[in-house]
Amino acid sequence: MKLHSKQLGAIGVLRVAAYLMSQGLSVFAELGDLSRVDLIVLFENRPIKIQVKTRNLKEGKISVDSRKSGPGYHYRYKPEDVDVFAIYIPQRDLILFLNVHRVLKAKGTTVIRVVQPKNRQVKGVHWFENYLEFKQALRDHTQSTRPGDAEGKEMIQTTTSIRRSASES
């Protein structure tokens, strides 16, 4: 049975939400498909904006685009729009998590390999195994924190090197 692209997208959002909930995270969904965010997850009590894309496996790979389009509109994502792209691959029931900066750095399309290419190329290939962990996608992401609002792991400790004279040592 062939599903409409909106149905496939909804299945992807539900699959990603179910996975994140199974990891003990609180997940919130947008109603209406009008924003640039499909899900918001509370991670360590901070909101993380997730854009879900459902992509079909073609020739052993998927492509992740930094654009959103539909009837009468085209939009290129910006770093402030989303924190993580979650990619659902229905043929493998596989979810990949990419940091927004990883996707935007490609300035167009990021290609991720799920199956070994026929020419056995390995150099420069982005393998799906590197994108399976939600927490990994967050490691390179830093939310802006105003001075005085940092707490716990957000706090940065700075040290000043003090030069001691030989008599003090």
Side-chain angles (χ1 to χ4, degrees), residues 21-85:
M21 289 174 68
S22 76
Q23 301 300 302
L25 299 169
S26 296
V27 179
F28 303 86
E30 181 210 13
L31 300 176
D33 194 28
L34 297 172
S35 75
R36 297 177 185 115
V37 175
D38 291 314
L39 300 170
I40 293 177
V41 172
L42 287 183
F43 182 78
E44 296 180 353
N45 215 24
R46 297 282 185 221
I48 303 295
K49 299 176 286 187
I50 300 175
Q51 173 62 41
V52 179
K53 301 216 176 252
T54 300
R55 293 291 179 258
N56 287 315
L57 196 59
K58 293 179 184 172
E59 298 176 6
K61 61 187 177 189
I62 56 120
S63 298
V64 182
D65 200 345
S66 61
R67 297 173 295 220
K68 180 177 185 169
S69 62
Y73 73 92
H74 297 284
Y75 182 78
R76 183 171 299 278
Y77 289 98
K78 298 175 188 150
E80 60 269 16
D81 294 333
V82 62
D83 300 316
V84 173
F85 284 92

Side-chain angles (χ1 to χ4, degrees), residues 89-100:
I89 305 171
Q91 295 88 348
R92 297 283 178 104
D93 193 31
L94 189 62
I95 301 170
L96 308 178
F97 298 98
L98 285 81
N99 181 288
V100 65

Side-chain angles (χ1 to χ4, degrees), residues 120-131:
R120 301 203 186 277
Q121 176 183 344
V122 292
K123 188 174 183 179
V125 173
H126 301 285
W127 294 103
F128 80 97
E129 292 96 341
N130 297 323
Y131 304 100

Side-chain angles (χ1 to χ4, degrees), residues 135-150:
K135 290 179 184 179
Q136 178 67 36
L138 296 177
R139 286 193 182 130
D140 296 330
H141 176 71
T142 305
Q143 292 182 333
S144 58
T145 303
R146 294 180 309 203
D149 285 351

